[in-house]
Amino acid sequence: KPAPAAMSTTLDGTPFELSRRKGSWVVLNFFNSTCAPCRAEHPELVRFRQQQGDLGLAGAELYTVVFDNDTDDAVREYFDEFGGDWPIVRDPDGAIGVAFGVFQVPETWVIDPDGVIRLRFVGQITADELSFAVQRLRLELGT
């Protein structure tokens, strides 16, 4: 089904509107800096981002969506300590999480270039699982 509308700002204040990402593969990872499974998964997301970066413009875009009233300072500290060079999207009122039906983090969603949700992963995921899933979908859809 089509991805829900998602509008907010990133941690650095840049406007974010999911619908403007059409034309690209998008991976949304819902996260909280105090979540133990999120912390365990994070090195895999760093690796996934590197894998996708190696593909250049063909790589999927990764966004972290902050879940459940995590503070900007806590998230900045977390990313400063553990790495990650992708946009971090605020969800201060929980509207994005609600629109996607996120129950508990981590959750990862894969959205195709037409803005259609193709996959949802509940719980931790590895870089290789995520890269393989995106590549499989690219091949199936011919994108």
Side-chain angles (χ1 to χ4, degrees), residues 126-142:
T126 69
D128 291 342
E129 289 171 320
L130 192 51
S131 287
F132 178 77
V134 171
Q135 183 60 25
R136 188 188 79 233
L137 286 168
R138 278 188 181 119
L139 292 172
E140 287 175 8
L141 299 174

Side-chain angles (χ1 to χ4, degrees), residues 11-131:
L11 211 55
D12 67 5
T14 303
F16 173 80
E17 188 172 348
L18 182 58
S19 65
R20 296 181 65 88
R21 307 311 326 140
K22 282 190 178 177
S24 299
W25 284 91
V26 173
V27 174
L28 294 181
N29 177 262
F30 289 82
F31 154 96
N32 186 287
S33 66
T34 63
C35 157
C38 297
R39 287 175 169 262
E41 176 184 68
H42 192 79
E44 294 294 323
L45 294 175
V46 170
R47 207 169 69 125
F48 172 77
R49 173 68 183 100
Q50 291 168 338
Q51 291 170 341
Q52 296 305 300
D54 290 346
L55 297 174
L57 295 176
E61 298 177 9
L62 175 62
Y63 296 88
T64 288
V65 181
V66 179
F67 186 77
D68 196 25
N69 297 321
D70 211 345
T71 68
D72 287 358
D73 287 342
V75 173
R76 273 191 198 94
E77 288 173 19
Y78 181 88
F79 273 76
D80 286 347
E81 182 175 350
F82 298 106
D85 64 347
W86 58 87
I88 303 163
V89 179
R90 292 180 176 113
D91 190 14
D93 60 1
I96 299 172
V98 168
F100 274 86
V102 174
F103 176 69
Q104 184 175 351
V105 290
E107 279 194 23
T108 305
W109 298 71
V110 178
I111 302 163
D112 75 16
D114 292 324
V116 175
I117 295 171
R118 293 295 173 177
L119 289 173
R120 174 187 188 190
F121 296 95
V122 177
Q124 289 176 239
I125 189 162
T126 69
D128 291 342
E129 289 171 320
L130 192 51
S131 287

